[in-house]
Amino acid sequence: MEIQGKEATNSDIDITEKYVFRLFISKKSPDSLYVVKNIQKFCNQYLHENYELEVVDIYEKPDLVIEEQIILTPLLIKKYPLPEERISGDLKNSQAILSQFHID
Amino acid sequence: MDEILENKELDDCKTIKTVLPKTLTGINGLDDITLGGIPKNRTTLLVGAIGAGKTVLSMAFIVNGILKYNEPGVFMTFEEKADELQINLLTLGYDLATLISDKKLYLENLYIGNEGIQVTGKYNIEGLFVRIEQAIEKVKAKRIVLDSLDTLFSGLDSNILRGEIKRLFTWLKEKEITAIITGEIGETHLTRMGIEEAIADCVIELNNRVCNQISTRRMRVVKYRGSDHSTNEYPFVINSKGIIIYPIIDEEPQQEASRERISTGIFQLDQMLENKGYYVGSSILIAGAAGTGKTSLAASFAASVCKNNKRCLYCSFEESPNQLIRDMGTIGFPLESYVNSENLKFYFARPTLQNFELHIMSIKSKIKEFKPDVIIMDPITNIMVESINSDTTATLNHFIDFVKMEKNITILFTSAMTTEVLLINPSYEAIFSMVDTCIMLQERRIEMIHVRSLFIMKSRGINNSKEEKEFLISAKENIVLPNSRMVIAENGIAQKSQMNSTENSVILQPNLISIIGNGHSERK
């Protein structure tokens, strides 16, 4: 099912729509690099090249932390396509991300 | 604290154990219960059900910090919108807007989406740390409140969360911030997340119980690591003057025992009390069933006090001031003129308006304003609506102590109770025993005529008359009428000359017959 879904999605949005993500991490946390790797792996696997990922260290951009109402880290925000959606955690579980972001 | 202890250790080994730095909350009573406030640079957990007063209490901690101790504060709310919170607290007298514009207070609303936070795998709360750090930096805060943790973290894995919250507490300690974190009370644990046992240094529980349709807020210090604290549950009130915890510790009643005396307002009653009347600063109870003349006796005292240019605070829980003025006017007490001369002030409140503690609080603030020499509470039993039990009598006892501390104020209660009631509810005994002087009023019907009588049940330090004396409440013309001039006369007949000589006061004549007299037929 997931393979079908992936293929369908890709053919639909491939040209017109790009996924835009913003990932908030804390560089103080030793796991943060691992999390970035997880999400990159996820994107490559399910979205191929069809995505943009911005990684933000919360200690570098504290204003953005307030603006985006960040409490938990790591936090992945899907900025586009709308609606904006969020998921927190180590992002190891691809299924959870797919279902939270309604990617099929 | 460890650091401080170490430093102290160098200075003075003997005092180590007693030094636990505390931060005053500035909340009346709470600082007494905790013997000096909550732990400095530590986190205190404030738990309670919805509506128990957590938000207001924690905001009072912040506002008092700014206004009283020059310690700026941060208030982070997860529940109420910041602007709504400002409006709500303005009604309680907290002007947050000014404090915010003065950069003494930083208010931040932590918003979590409707669905809460979706989580997969391990997470941390570094985001919160960053935000708290910024907030603290903005006002150079020394105090912070997080209200409430449950809302923020509902639905999250509690194992990870517990560790993260512990990290937060440690981090706040390093930042040298005194914190209050609120949480909703859980079913099995004190808090829903069960974070309190291991983590918080101080835990305070609030609750709000309803008894006989009247709700009473109560507070208890559940735990205070490294410090003594009172373990009792204390009633508290939230009103336009903020938060007051009551009773404010056990005041050791070391008040001066005055040897001065004050007239009862009734010549003959004074005579029964060594010709001198009550002790100044004592407490007096006038007890009797309905219609026995308690209010008239109280009013005669009030009038006498005012006449001697002293101040009397008359707390009425039955008749409105206007009604009292009218009724007592008919027996010759010009209460209205005393009100005008500011010798007499009324406090009038419906007993069911609020709970007993709240009444007592309001009266206390009136006492502070008006500084009366005499307080009358008529009838005290009406405001003890939760029924007389150990709770209310304890509050009453504290109140009596408080009054006595306030420079020898004499307090007179009336109470609708009889000696028979004691048999039904022994709790009443407590009221009898806590007062210094107790006068019992009775009414009996003899040959179609109601006869009132009084006797002094007890009077500490006074060799009082042991007789039971009849009295009449009668108009000048000496007609037996309720709400008329009060007379105790030999054989029930007041002598005209004495009536005139003691204008505008109650006459109580000495050498009276005992109750089974033979002069009843003469009485008219």
Side-chain angles (χ1 to χ4, degrees), chain A residues 26 28-29 31 58-59 62-63 65-66 69-75 86-93 96-97 100, chain B residues 78 106 108-112 117-131 133-134 138 152-153 156:
Chain A
S26 156
K28 286 187 183 174
S29 167
D31 293 344
I58 54 169
Y59 286 96
D63 291 344
V65 174
I66 295 176
Q69 289 279 354
I70 311 299
I71 291 159
L72 303 187
T73 51
L75 182 79
R86 301 171 164 221
I87 191 164
S88 179
D90 58 22
L91 307 174
K92 206 166 70 179
N93 182 345
I97 304 172
Q100 174 66 9
Chain B
F78 309 111
Y106 182 71
E108 187 167 324
N109 190 205
L110 298 189
Y111 175 77
I112 310 126
I117 309 170
Q118 293 302 316
V119 175
T120 169
K122 266 180 74 181
Y123 64 90
N124 59 50
I125 56 170
E126 292 277 324
L128 185 61
F129 284 36
V130 170
R131 295 177 73 170
E133 193 160 32
Q134 286 187 87
K138 279 194 171 104
L152 181 61
F153 297 130
L156 293 188

Side-chain angles (χ1 to χ4, degrees), chain B residues 49-242:
Chain B
I50 293 165
K54 300 187 291 293
T55 301
V56 175
L57 198 98
S58 48
M59 186 56 98
F61 163 71
I62 294 291
V63 172
N64 288 340
I66 296 165
L67 298 178
K68 294 186 182 174
Y69 311 111
N70 199 25
E71 293 191 355
V74 167
F75 195 98
M76 301 196 118
T77 169
F78 309 111
E79 278 173 3
E80 296 184 72
K81 293 243 169 67
D83 48 345
E84 282 171 22
L85 188 71
Q86 284 190 44
I87 293 164
N88 293 346
L89 285 157
L90 195 59
T91 62
L92 295 169
Y94 293 126
D95 183 9
L96 303 186
T98 308
L99 299 179
I100 292 169
S101 64
D102 289 348
K103 296 222 183 311
K104 296 287 181 195
L105 169 67
Y106 182 71
L107 197 61
E108 187 167 324
N109 190 205
L110 298 189
Y111 175 77
I112 310 126
N114 292 333
E115 330 79 70
I117 309 170
Q118 293 302 316
V119 175
T120 169
K122 266 180 74 181
Y123 64 90
N124 59 50
I125 56 170
E126 292 277 324
L128 185 61
F129 284 36
V130 170
R131 295 177 73 170
I132 292 173
E133 193 160 32
Q134 286 187 87
I136 289 170
E137 196 52 40
K138 279 194 171 104
V139 293
K140 308 277 178 234
K142 299 302 291 171
R143 300 175 179 218
I144 189 168
V145 167
L146 301 179
D147 179 40
S148 78
L149 234 43
D150 294 277
T151 325
L152 181 61
F153 297 130
S154 56
L156 293 188
D157 180 301
S158 57
N159 282 328
I160 298 176
L161 196 56
R162 212 170 293 145
E164 285 298 294
I165 290 172
K166 192 167 186 174
R167 207 157 65 86
L168 174 68
F169 286 15
T170 313
W171 181 75
L172 286 170
K173 189 165 139 191
E174 284 163 7
K175 293 247 159 224
E176 297 189 345
I177 302 284
T178 307
I180 290 184
I181 292 186
T182 69
E184 213 157 285
I185 202 142
E187 279 168 18
T188 49
H189 292 280
L190 202 50
T191 52
R192 275 198 207 149
M193 291 168 289
I195 56 168
E196 70 292 341
E197 289 89 355
I199 304 170
D201 289 294
C202 178
V203 179
I204 298 171
E205 185 193 338
L206 306 181
N207 68 52
N208 196 358
R209 280 201 299 272
V210 178
C211 178
N212 292 354
Q213 282 101 50
I214 290 187
S215 81
T216 306
R217 297 173 193 276
R218 285 167 219 272
M219 149 179 311
R220 182 170 71 98
V221 178
V222 179
K223 138 177 179 180
Y224 199 140
R225 203 177 275 167
S227 168
D228 277 343
H229 61 90
S230 177
T231 53
N232 292 352
E233 206 174 38
Y234 292 95
F236 73 98
V237 291
I238 296 173
N239 61 20
S240 56
K241 287 181 182 152

Side-chain angles (χ1 to χ4, degrees), chain B residues 290-323:
Chain B
T292 47
K294 298 184 295 294
T295 299
S296 301
L297 219 61
S300 77
F301 184 44
S304 155
V305 167
C306 296
K307 202 174 168 185
N308 291 315
N309 206 19
K310 295 256 167 73
R311 285 160 175 263
C312 175
L313 177 66
Y314 198 115
C315 308
S316 175
F317 305 106
E318 214 160 56
E319 291 183 85
S320 69
N322 285 339
Q323 200 184 341

